[in-house]
Amino acid sequence: MFCAEKNSYLQLVCAMEPRVINKAVDRAMGKKVLDLPCAKFHPLGLTSARPSIYAPHIDITRSRLGFGRVGLRLLNRDLHSPDYLIQLQAIHTMLDQVQISENAMFLINLNVVHRLTELLDSRDPVIREKVCIILTHLAGYYQGRQRISACPNLYFRLMWLCIRDKKEIRFAAAYTFRTLCRDRCACEAICKVDDLIENMLKIVQNEFTGIVLIHLKSMKNLFEYDPIVPLKANAFQVMFGLFKNSDPRIVSEAMECMSQLCKHDVGKILADKYDLTFFLRPYMKCDNYDVVMSAVGLLCYTTLTKRSKWRAKEVTRELTVTLMHLCHAPSMPLLQLRSIQALINLCDCPDIRKHVRQLWKRKVQLIMIRTHEEWDGTMETTSMGLETGHNYRTMCIELTETIKNDYGDNAEVVNVHSYLRRLQEKKNQLLKIIDSTPYS
């Protein structure tokens, strides 16, 4: 029978009429007996008890799926049922079951990814959208990403959905890519797909804002893994064009992608050619915090070449005043770290180093760094940060966690003590560079 609270078909085998059981339970609980299944979705019911997406064509007399291991096996089999109604019911029920980690792992072991990959070519847009959402949930598990990486055709079909399908399905497929790109093994498989990076660069130029934002987050991880392929596809010019976008979120993510490209020697040459050190000056004074953070992070890579240092000497006072102001932000340690690193790069130029030593040495010594008791590892106080408390070393909260290790097996794990120690070391390094003198 159909359970309105779970939006799933619970009963596997029942010797009694399911409607009789429902009526008996309702009478024992003192509820009014209603014959229509849709009456369960009464507007006065609890919002949390009503599913957000209702299963279509509810027919309690045809319900055969259950929650147990046997029911999940039947659910996996019914994904390719010749009966369209049974197939649609199986998709909706599986979307509910993958929310439970035990059932999701069992379905992954049943090779459900291979069956879902074939359903991406379905003619029904409802099935295509729900399959993308299910794959997103399965990609949250390491085993799920491994099974998805074993299906090279899946990436090609997802990219086809991102290019040609409806807006809702494009959004769901983009979010599936975003979840997969968090894993380096998946990034390796995605980068091997022909013309995938080129297609993503075309999409971000003519797509809706929300979808572009998700694709930029995916490309940031892809560019970090292999910047050579995007550089050959003119990704630098595309990201540079997004700097003029009206949405600050897109500008911030484009700068983060550009930072990954500037790690490569070709990216540094292009940064000098486009004069990014001069171009980033107004963005460092922007009202949006994310844009300032990304601009200073990009400046850390654009000021590594000799040409950029001598170019920055023309606006020494403006750059040093802005960076020194950003260094005195103890509530934002990541911004402090990036600003100090940019000053260290600029102080390689003797004229800039002399200017900083004469005017700003005392100000550098007064830079305040928070202690680990004063900082919970997040850039802002949120309800999510308050709930996690001191578990921030093992928990990962997207868009809230701000620090990660540069190397090691646990690169994504937050370590506040080592991060603050690194920030103190950078401050001491800046003071040491300011006091140094060139060889005679």
Side-chain angles (χ1 to χ4, degrees):
M1 62 187 159
F2 182 79
C3 177
E5 288 76 15
K6 295 278 188 178
N7 191 26
S8 301
Y9 300 89
L10 312 183
Q11 199 69 25
L12 181 62
V13 177
C14 183
M16 189 181 296
E17 179 69 24
R19 287 173 289 188
V20 177
I21 300 177
N22 283 342
K23 290 181 179 180
V25 173
D26 292 340
R27 183 171 298 177
M29 297 178 65
K31 294 184 178 180
K32 293 183 179 180
V33 179
L34 300 176
D35 294 333
L36 298 177
C38 60
K40 295 181 180 180
F41 306 110
H42 196 272
L44 298 180
L46 294 176
T47 304
S48 59
R50 299 198 304 268
S52 58
I53 303 176
Y54 302 102
H57 311 297
I58 299 172
D59 185 2
I60 59 176
T61 62
R62 301 181 59 179
S63 307
R64 294 181 52 82
L65 302 180
F67 281 146
R69 292 290 184 258
V70 179
L72 291 176
R73 292 181 184 276
L74 293 177
L75 191 66
N76 186 32
R77 184 193 66 185
D78 288 344
L79 289 177
H80 289 292
S81 174
D83 191 335
Y84 171 75
L85 176 58
I86 294 179
Q87 186 183 36
L88 206 56
Q89 290 175 346
I91 289 290
H92 280 270
T93 306
M94 182 169 290
L95 180 58
D96 293 325
Q97 295 305 305
V98 294
Q99 315 293 331
I100 307 172
S101 58
E102 294 180 358
N103 294 348
M105 292 299 301
F106 186 78
L107 290 170
I108 291 172
N109 294 330
L110 289 178
N111 292 324
V112 71
V113 173
H114 295 279
R115 294 179 178 267
L116 294 174
T117 302
E118 299 177 4
L119 291 177
L120 287 175
D121 297 332
S122 175
R123 295 183 179 181
D124 190 354
V126 176
I127 292 180
R128 296 197 301 270
E129 181 184 10
K130 296 299 179 287
V131 168
C132 291
I133 299 175
I134 293 172
L135 289 173
T136 302
H137 285 285
L138 296 180
Y141 301 91
Y142 172 77
Q143 293 83 353
R145 292 193 296 270
Q146 292 295 317
R147 295 298 177 96
I148 292 175
S149 299
C151 300
N153 293 331
L154 187 141
Y155 301 116
F156 178 79
R157 295 178 181 180
L158 281 177
M159 180 51 59
W160 182 257
L161 296 181
C162 292
I163 297 175
R164 298 290 184 183
D165 221 314
K166 297 181 179 181
K167 179 181 177 181
E168 295 81 0
I169 302 177
R170 295 202 306 270
F171 184 88
Y175 207 85
T176 304
F177 265 119
R178 169 75 183 101
T179 309
L180 290 171
C181 290
R182 296 174 184 172
D183 186 69
R184 293 187 63 84
C185 296
C187 288
E188 180 182 3
I190 292 174
C191 290
K192 292 181 180 179
V193 180
D194 296 335
D195 299 331
L196 191 143
I197 299 294
E198 291 81 352
N199 291 329
M200 294 183 74
L201 291 173
K202 293 178 182 178
I203 290 173
V204 297
Q205 300 179 64
N206 304 291
E207 188 56 277
F208 292 96
T209 300
I211 303 177
V212 171
L213 193 62
I214 297 175
H215 279 303
L216 287 176
K217 293 179 180 179
S218 303
M219 285 191 287
K220 175 186 174 183
N221 294 335
L222 294 175
F223 293 175
E224 182 181 7
Y225 176 79
D226 185 11
I228 298 177
V229 176
L231 283 172
K232 291 181 179 179
N234 296 326
F236 190 96
Q237 290 78 0
V238 174
M239 296 299 131
F240 186 77
L242 291 177
F243 287 179
K244 301 178 182 178
N245 195 285
S246 58
D247 194 326
R249 298 175 300 170
I250 293 181
V251 176
S252 174
E253 292 298 333
M255 289 182 178
E256 293 291 340
C257 294
M258 184 77 82
S259 299
Q260 306 302 327
L261 296 177
C262 289
K263 292 181 180 179
H264 195 269
D265 294 337
V266 177
K268 296 174 184 176
I269 295 174
L270 290 174
D272 290 338
K273 179 181 178 181
Y274 284 85
D275 203 3
L276 283 185
T277 303
F278 264 50
F279 189 79
L280 291 174
R281 288 180 300 158
Y283 293 96
M284 297 169 59
K285 303 175 183 179
C286 180
D287 296 333
N288 188 277
Y289 161 74
D290 293 330
V291 174
V292 175
M293 176 75 72
S294 301
V296 178
L298 179 56
L299 190 69
C300 294
Y301 294 100
T302 60
T303 53
L304 291 174
T305 60
K306 294 181 179 179
R307 179 179 173 182
S308 64
K309 291 182 177 69
W310 286 100
R311 192 80 171 92
K313 191 178 71 170
E314 301 178 14
V315 287
T316 301
R317 184 171 182 83
E318 180 183 355
L319 272 179
T320 53
V321 168
T322 304
L323 289 175
M324 286 304 305
H325 176 71
L326 296 176
C327 286
H328 287 269
S331 60
M332 295 175 285
L334 182 57
L335 184 60
Q336 279 186 303
L337 181 63
R338 292 183 174 183
S339 302
I340 294 175
Q341 183 61 56
L343 279 174
I344 291 174
N345 296 342
L346 292 174
C347 284
D348 285 341
C349 178
D351 294 336
I352 299 178
R353 181 169 63 249
K354 180 180 178 181
H355 174 82
V356 174
R357 181 168 60 245
Q358 291 177 350
L359 298 180
W360 305 113
K361 180 179 179 180
R362 179 62 178 169
K363 196 123 181 172
V364 172
Q365 294 174 344
L366 295 176
I367 293 177
M368 295 180 58
I369 299 177
R370 306 178 80 178
T371 62
H372 64 277
E373 291 88 357
E374 299 172 337
W375 190 37
D376 64 345
T378 61
M379 295 303 296
E380 56 186 6
T381 303
T382 60
S383 60
M384 192 175 300
L386 294 176
E387 290 174 2
T388 56
H390 290 285
N391 292 328
Y392 53 77
R393 293 183 182 86
T394 57
M395 298 193 67
C396 179
I397 306 172
E398 189 179 4
L399 301 179
T400 305
E401 299 297 343
T402 62
I403 52 181
K404 66 179 182 178
N405 300 328
D406 292 333
Y407 56 88
D409 296 333
N410 299 322
E412 296 295 336
V413 177
V414 175
N415 190 337
V416 172
H417 295 275
S418 63
Y419 185 83
L420 295 177
R421 184 173 63 250
R422 184 170 124 194
L423 187 57
Q424 184 66 45
E425 292 173 355
K426 284 295 179 182
K427 176 185 173 181
N428 297 333
Q429 182 182 357
L430 178 58
L431 288 171
K432 183 178 179 181
I433 291 177
I434 290 175
D435 293 331
S436 63
T437 56
Y439 294 103
S440 58

